[in-house]
Amino acid sequence: MSFPKDFLWGGAIAANQCEGGFDQGGRGLSSADYLPADKARFALCQGRLSIDALDASMYYPAREGIDFYHHYKEDIQLLAQMGLKCLRLSIAWTRIYPNGDDETPNKEGLLFYENVFKECKKYNIEPLVTIDHFDVPVHCIRKYGSWRNRKMIDFYKKYVTTIMTRYKDYVQYWITFNEINMLLHLPYVGAGIIFDGNENENQVKYQAAHYQLVASAWATKIAHEINPENKVGCMLAAGDTYPYSCDPKDVFEAKKQDEDNFFFIDVQARGYYSKYAKKQFEKLNLNLDITSEDETILLENTVDYISFSYYASRCASANLKDIDKTEGNAFASLKNPHLQTSDWGWQIDPLGLRITLNTIYNRYQKPMFIVENGLGAKDVVEEDGSIHDPYRIAYLKEHMKAMKAAIEEDGVDLLGYTSWGCIDLISASTGQMSKRYGYIYVDRDDLGNGSLKRIKKDSFDWYKEVIEANGENL
Ligand code: BGP
């Protein structure tokens, strides 16, 4: 048998893309609430637009999401019907601390997630909780400049202590920050950073990343103190970088890009910055606030497992830098002529998942968790209400086979697999609803119209069978 018998087959969602209810239950405004479904979105994602410059009449899809806030019972019941063993979801920081720096938590918010976790428990679904999934209280952006400010560490620690204490009996698997390396590419998304126009952007980004790393180490410490059974993971937007050719210059370029990606989870997994990272700080002429207390906290509180998202491999060349890039992905990559792409220009590379699993396992030798993977595609509801999505089944099947081979033939240690957007939700990069990942369709369009009705797709029954057979039928 290739998959361990307790392998966590699951699905993943995030508050900022599905929950909605942005002005209900005492919730405060969050960074994602300001991301419009408009071309202005990308500039804001990069931190190059002020939230005060946005047009209030634009549509802000995160505010309503798929209204998981009111549909969570129905949604969790459907996921349980599919046989899900694990549900990755995030807590909206602003539902617990509406401003981020509040004295006391919001009781209604605490109760909401308790009810969500109770629902999971009812069906024996293991929750995997992302503490911060692209989600910063707007008050902290305005008052403190978000993660560029050391104060955020204390606010985050308080938030973590509150949720870990309250949900002690329900949650054991935690992720501190979603895709921590995203901060370098989309700093508003990753860390609520908006540049003031005159500052050294690298200085701001690497400083913010350092504060997040310290906060992450604190969260790991707090988790282990509250419950020694707690398991805390870091989370990487992964995908190995291939050299475009066997020209050593291309190989070296690919290696450098990979080192940049591992930069942060190296610290979370090993407890210190690599020598390569320190050389980059020198080259970029950065002057970072890193105290000896920070260094001790980092060293003493490394993560229990490595989680990551995988959508595709990347490709780099020393010579072809600016031409023929893939579309739509925050991580610039050359088009790999050997690969097909999705409707959104994302490359499709199942073997790349096996390669990436091997790279990460050999680098850290810690258990791994694939917490995002999937195909964003357009779905059509037929007249009889059915939805045929063979393209999604084909994508997932090939990736699961690659994962199986990595366990069976290469010996990697994998805790579970939660495919992204198990129920359709808002796309992080585009704000669209039409970029669908789910086994469950949600009737809502890109402008927020629709009944919100949930409909099973063909992939729903297919995944159910895979879980039932523990992947032996792939
Ligand atoms: C990751 C994010 C997710 C998710 C996914 C798919 O970067 O962690 O939040 O959205 O990408 O991307 P998209 O929604 O842009 O298709």
Side-chain angles (χ1 to χ4, degrees):
M1 299 283 270
S2 53
F3 291 101
K5 67 175 182 346
D6 51 357
F7 189 77
L8 290 168
W9 292 99
I13 55 176
N16 81 91
Q17 287 157 265
C18 77
E19 200 171 281
F22 80 110
D23 56 357
Q24 293 178 40
R27 178 182 176 285
L29 285 172
S30 154
S31 48
D33 297 335
Y34 281 86
L35 286 171
D38 179 272
K39 56 184 180 333
R41 185 180 184 91
F42 194 58
L44 180 56
C45 287
Q46 293 177 304
R48 303 235 161 79
L49 188 73
S50 157
I51 49 178
D52 296 319
L54 292 163
D55 176 351
S57 68
M58 284 188 297
Y59 171 53
Y60 296 90
R63 297 183 185 190
E64 279 120 36
I66 55 159
D67 199 24
F68 180 77
Y69 189 63
H70 293 107
H71 290 74
Y72 70 91
K73 285 194 179 164
E74 172 191 351
D75 291 345
I76 294 172
Q77 190 193 28
L78 273 170
L79 294 170
Q81 245 184 58
M82 198 166 54
L84 223 67
K85 295 188 192 291
C86 175
L87 176 61
R88 175 181 177 225
L89 76 174
S90 74
I91 292 181
W93 189 341
T94 52
R95 214 174 267 298
I96 307 300
Y97 286 102
N99 295 300
D101 63 354
D102 316 68
E103 274 300 308
T104 51
N106 170 31
K107 291 203 178 96
E108 237 182 298
L110 281 170
L111 184 62
F112 170 69
Y113 292 107
E114 185 166 309
N115 288 336
V116 169
F117 298 140
K118 276 187 179 154
E119 219 49 34
C120 290
K121 202 167 184 166
K122 186 160 124 191
Y123 300 107
N124 277 326
I125 295 177
E126 180 79 47
L128 163 59
V129 174
T130 316
I131 298 165
D132 185 336
H133 192 129
F134 298 163
D135 207 351
V136 183
V138 165
H139 172 78
C140 290
I141 297 178
R142 292 192 191 282
K143 187 160 176 194
Y144 305 103
S146 195
W147 282 98
R148 76 184 71 211
N149 193 321
R150 184 178 273 279
K151 285 200 170 76
M152 291 297 282
I153 299 174
D154 286 332
F155 304 147
Y156 182 87
K157 275 165 70 178
K158 189 166 170 182
Y159 161 52
V160 164
T161 308
T162 303
I163 56 174
M164 287 188 177
T165 308
R166 174 76 177 235
Y167 306 130
K168 188 170 179 276
D169 297 334
Y170 299 98
V171 182
Q172 279 189 7
Y173 286 93
W174 303 90
I175 292 172
T176 55
F177 288 92
N178 182 58
E179 297 190 335
I180 194 156
N181 51 327
M182 186 61 87
L183 194 163
L184 291 185
H185 304 268
L186 301 176
Y188 179 79
V189 174
I193 298 288
I194 300 172
F195 299 110
D196 78 4
N198 301 313
E199 56 195 344
N200 175 341
E201 293 190 2
N202 280 322
Q203 169 74 27
V204 174
K205 287 193 285 190
Y206 284 95
Q207 186 64 69
H210 175 69
Y211 292 148
Q212 287 197 345
L213 290 171
V214 174
S216 171
W218 273 108
T220 309
K221 182 175 165 60
I222 293 165
H224 292 149
E225 281 166 4
I226 291 177
N227 180 3
E229 296 297 308
N230 269 333
K231 297 192 181 15
V232 185
C234 56
M235 201 302 201
L236 169 78
D240 271 30
T241 311
Y242 303 156
Y244 196 78
S245 76
C246 52
D247 176 347
K249 292 198 197 80
D250 284 0
V251 177
F252 191 59
E253 184 60 34
K255 204 160 191 51
K256 278 198 297 186
Q257 289 194 18
D258 271 348
E259 285 300 319
D260 290 342
N261 271 325
F262 288 128
F263 206 103
F264 303 122
I265 68 156
D266 274 353
V267 182
Q268 291 168 299
R270 297 169 172 162
Y272 52 87
Y273 285 101
S274 65
K275 288 196 173 159
Y276 175 87
K278 288 187 178 156
K279 284 284 171 201
Q280 300 313 303
F281 292 160
E282 269 172 45
K283 274 190 210 156
L284 295 168
N285 221 355
L286 306 182
N287 179 16
L288 299 181
D289 165 31
I290 302 178
T291 66
S292 56
E293 193 204 9
D294 292 350
E295 285 173 339
T296 309
I297 280 292
L298 292 174
L299 193 62
E300 290 176 354
N301 299 283
T302 52
V303 290
D304 302 309
Y305 66 95
I306 315 285
S307 78
F308 64 89
S309 60
Y310 174 84
Y311 291 92
S313 54
R314 298 155 188 157
C315 194
S317 154
N319 310 312
L320 300 172
K321 278 195 176 103
D322 292 323
I323 59 156
D324 210 17
K325 293 247 173 81
T326 56
E327 296 154 33
N329 198 326
F331 295 81
S333 167
L334 292 172
K335 262 193 196 143
N336 182 333
H338 302 283
L339 301 177
Q340 305 281 316
T341 54
S342 76
D343 290 348
W344 273 265
W346 291 27
Q347 300 189 100
I348 300 175
D349 181 13
L351 182 55
L353 175 58
R354 181 170 174 187
I355 295 169
T356 300
L357 279 162
N358 274 284
T359 303
I360 295 178
Y361 193 54
N362 290 334
R363 193 172 177 109
Y364 303 113
Q365 275 121 38
K366 294 204 183 208
M368 297 178 290
F369 209 136
I370 300 171
V371 295
E372 283 185 35
N373 171 239
L375 178 73
K378 288 189 184 122
D379 292 322
V380 177
V381 186
E382 306 292 341
E383 270 180 23
D384 64 357
S386 57
I387 299 163
H388 307 302
D389 55 347
Y391 35 88
R392 182 167 296 106
I393 295 174
Y395 177 102
L396 292 167
K397 189 175 189 171
E398 290 310 308
H399 284 77
M400 288 174 188
K401 276 160 68 176
M403 158 170 100
K404 187 173 187 225
I407 298 174
E408 209 167 65
E409 294 176 44
D410 311 331
V412 306
D413 182 1
L414 192 62
L415 298 167
Y417 172 89
T418 59
S419 66
W420 176 247
C422 46
I423 177 161
D424 291 347
L425 38 64
I426 308 292
S427 155
S429 55
T430 67
Q432 289 166 305
M433 193 63 214
S434 51
K435 190 180 185 191
R436 297 171 182 276
Y437 287 86
Y439 307 101
I440 300 165
Y441 183 92
V442 177
D443 177 27
R444 193 169 183 86
D445 68 14
D446 289 346
L447 299 170
N449 306 308
S451 66
L452 289 172
K453 187 174 166 210
R454 277 57 172 157
I455 308 168
K456 294 175 198 169
K457 306 180 193 175
D458 285 356
S459 54
F460 183 100
D461 292 322
W462 171 80
Y463 194 32
K464 187 172 194 268
E465 283 167 21
V466 171
I467 299 175
E468 261 166 20
N470 200 25
E472 292 307 314
N473 58 347
L474 284 166

